[in-house]
Amino acid sequence: MQEARSGGEALLFLTDEQLRKGIEAMFFAYRGFTADPDRILNNYAYGRAHHRAVHFIHRSPGTTVNNLLGILGVTKQSLNRVLRTLISDGLVESRVGTKDKRERHLYLTQEGATLERELSDAQRKRMRDAYRAVGPDAVAGFRKVLEAMMEPELRRYFKALKDDE
Amino acid sequence: MQEARSGGEALLFLTDEQLRKGIEAMFFAYRGFTADPDRILNNYAYGRAHHRAVHFIHRSPGTTVNNLLGILGVTKQSLNRVLRTLISDGLVESRVGTKDKRERHLYLTQEGATLERELSDAQRKRMRDAYRAVGPDAVAGFRKVLEAMMEPELRRYFKALKDDE
DNA sequence: CTTGGAAAGTCAACAACACTGACGTAAAAT
DNA sequence: ATTTTACGTCAGTGTTGTTGACTTTCCAAG
C-alpha cells in the first residue's frame, strides 16, 4: 500500500494517498478549467470540440486538417463534423492548398476570432486569477508537472511551441 | 494584448501568451492523465464515467447516490445508467440505508475493487513518474495551482478531503 | 505516361454519455 | 396528512467519439 520510501527525501510525499489526492485535484481542477467556456458555448449551441478547434486554428492560422488531428487526438471524421458546422456558420474559412490541393488550410473569420476571444478571455481570466493566488514559484512547478504528465509525442509538440516564450 | 505589468514583479509572467501556454499545457496534460485508464477501460467496454464512479466509491465506501452526484457533477439519470451496469456486472453493491431507507449506499465488490486497483495503479504510476521527474517543490506548486483553479464548491470539498494527509 | 497506392478530406451510420422533462415509489420531515 | 427528499426509470435530444466506404489529389514505380 505505502510507498517504499527507501530512496530519500524526495520520495517522502509519494504515498498512494498523496497520489490519489493529486489525481482528484487534477479531476476537479479540469472541471473548473472548462467551466467558463462551457457556459459560454451553451449560448452558441457549440461544445468543447468546437472550442478546441477554434483555439488551435487561432494558435496556428493556416493549419491543415491533418495537423489539427494530431494535436486534438480525434479521428478526422469527428473533427470534420465540427469543422463543417464552424465553416457553414461562418466562423472558420477553409482554403484549398496551393501547393497540395488535397490540403485544406484553416483560418478564423472575424466572427470566429470574436468567439475565440470571448472563450479565451474567460479561460485566461481563471488561469490568471489562479496564478496570482499562488505566486510565480507555484506556477513554475505547475507547468513542470503538467509537462511531465503529457504523452511523449504531445510533450515534444508542446515544447516546440514553447520556444517563443 | 499584453498584460499591463503595472503591478510588480509577481505579474511579469502573466502575458496572454503565457496564459495560453498554461491553458494548452492543461489540455495536453489531461489527455496524458486519462490515457492509461482509457486504454484499460476499452478492454472492459467501460468508459470514463464508470472509472469516475468506481474511483469515488472506492474513496468513500458507503457513499450515497446523491453524494456521488454532487461530486461528479452529472445528472442522476446519467449516473444511474453507469451504476446500473456496474451493479448488474457485479462490480458495485448497492445497500439500502439502515437509518434512512431511501438512501442507497454504494460499495465496491471484490471484482470492483480489482478493476479500481488496475485503473488507479496505472494512473498513479503516471502521476508518480511525473512527480519524481520534477521534484517536491514543483509538486507543491502544481497542487496549489490546481486548487486555485477549482470551482469554489469543489475546492471546499477537496480541502475537506485533504485533512487526512 | 500510365497506373497503382498512399494521403487528405468528406459523407453516413452507429455508440457512449451527457442533458431535460416527466413520472413513480418509498420514506422522511413538517 | 401533506410535502419534501432520495432514488429509479422511461422517453427524447444533442454533442462527440467511433468505423466503414468514398472521392480527389499526389507521387512514384513500371
Side-chain angles (χ1 to χ4, degrees):
Chain A
M1 257 338 172
Q2 292 287 62
E3 177 76 9
R5 296 189 176 183
S6 53
E9 73 296 340
L11 297 179
L12 283 177
F13 56 93
L14 289 175
T15 65
D16 277 12
E17 258 323 291
Q18 293 291 335
L19 291 166
R20 278 184 200 279
K21 296 258 174 58
I23 288 168
E24 287 171 357
M26 192 70 184
F27 171 65
F28 291 139
Y30 198 77
R31 288 254 299 275
F33 173 69
T34 57
D36 302 320
D38 284 351
R39 274 188 283 270
I40 294 170
L41 289 159
N42 264 337
N43 304 330
Y44 292 87
Y46 290 142
R48 279 188 203 174
H50 302 84
H51 181 192
R52 293 195 283 265
V54 164
H55 174 96
F56 285 105
I57 294 172
H58 170 90
R59 139 82 67 202
S60 306
T63 188
T64 63
V65 174
N66 227 16
N67 275 341
L68 269 188
L69 289 181
I71 296 166
L72 297 177
V74 297
T75 59
K76 60 182 175 176
Q77 295 88 334
S78 192
L79 175 58
N80 184 259
R81 185 178 344 96
V82 169
L83 287 178
R84 193 163 39 195
T85 69
L86 289 174
I87 290 168
S88 73
D89 290 355
L91 300 183
V92 169
E93 189 188 350
S94 168
R95 298 184 204 153
V96 173
T98 52
K99 205 178 158 191
D100 187 336
K101 289 180 192 165
R102 293 173 303 180
E103 295 179 338
R104 302 298 137 87
H105 298 273
L106 303 169
Y107 301 87
L108 292 185
T109 64
Q110 183 128 21
E111 200 183 342
T114 300
L115 175 60
E116 194 284 331
R117 192 76 197 159
E118 184 179 358
L119 291 168
S120 74
D121 276 351
Q123 206 161 29
R124 280 202 310 277
K125 172 167 174 26
R126 181 175 296 251
M127 187 74 62
R128 180 162 36 227
D129 290 349
Y131 279 11
R132 281 184 172 148
V134 300
D137 291 348
V139 170
F142 169 69
R143 286 285 296 273
K144 275 192 196 173
V145 176
L146 289 188
E147 280 188 38
M149 205 154 23
M150 295 178 195
E151 299 268 49
E153 180 194 333
L154 281 176
R155 180 160 55 235
R156 278 193 297 277
Y157 169 79
F158 181 78
K159 288 197 171 204
L161 280 185
K162 272 187 66 180
D163 289 339
D164 49 320
E165 286 197 66
Chain B
M1 256 339 173
Q2 292 287 66
E3 176 75 9
R5 295 186 175 185
S6 53
E9 72 297 338
L11 298 178
L12 282 179
F13 56 94
L14 290 175
T15 65
D16 276 12
E17 257 323 291
Q18 292 292 335
L19 291 166
R20 278 184 200 278
K21 295 259 174 57
I23 288 168
E24 287 171 357
M26 192 71 184
F27 172 64
F28 291 139
Y30 198 77
R31 288 255 299 278
F33 173 69
T34 58
D36 302 320
D38 284 351
R39 275 188 284 270
I40 294 169
L41 290 160
N42 264 338
N43 304 330
Y44 293 87
Y46 291 143
R48 279 188 202 174
H50 301 85
H51 182 192
R52 292 194 285 266
V54 165
H55 173 96
F56 284 105
I57 293 171
H58 169 90
R59 140 80 67 204
S60 305
T63 187
T64 63
V65 174
N66 232 13
N67 275 342
L68 267 188
L69 288 181
I71 294 167
L72 298 176
V74 296
T75 59
K76 64 176 177 176
Q77 294 90 333
S78 196
L79 175 59
N80 186 258
R81 185 181 346 100
V82 169
L83 286 179
R84 194 162 38 194
T85 70
L86 289 173
I87 291 169
S88 72
D89 290 354
L91 300 182
V92 168
E93 190 189 349
S94 169
R95 298 185 204 152
V96 173
T98 51
K99 204 177 157 189
D100 186 335
K101 291 180 190 165
R102 293 173 304 178
E103 295 179 339
R104 301 299 138 86
H105 299 273
L106 303 169
Y107 301 87
L108 293 184
T109 64
Q110 184 129 20
E111 200 184 342
T114 300
L115 175 61
E116 194 285 330
R117 192 74 196 163
E118 185 180 357
L119 291 168
S120 74
D121 276 351
Q123 206 159 28
R124 278 202 311 278
K125 172 167 174 28
R126 181 176 296 252
M127 188 73 64
R128 180 161 39 226
D129 291 349
Y131 280 10
R132 281 184 172 148
V134 301
D137 291 349
V139 170
F142 169 69
R143 286 285 296 273
K144 275 192 196 172
V145 176
L146 289 189
E147 280 189 37
M149 206 154 22
M150 295 177 194
E151 299 267 49
E153 180 193 334
L154 281 176
R155 180 159 55 235
R156 276 193 297 276
Y157 169 78
F158 181 78
K159 289 198 169 203
L161 281 185
K162 272 186 67 179
D163 288 339
D164 48 320
E165 284 196 71

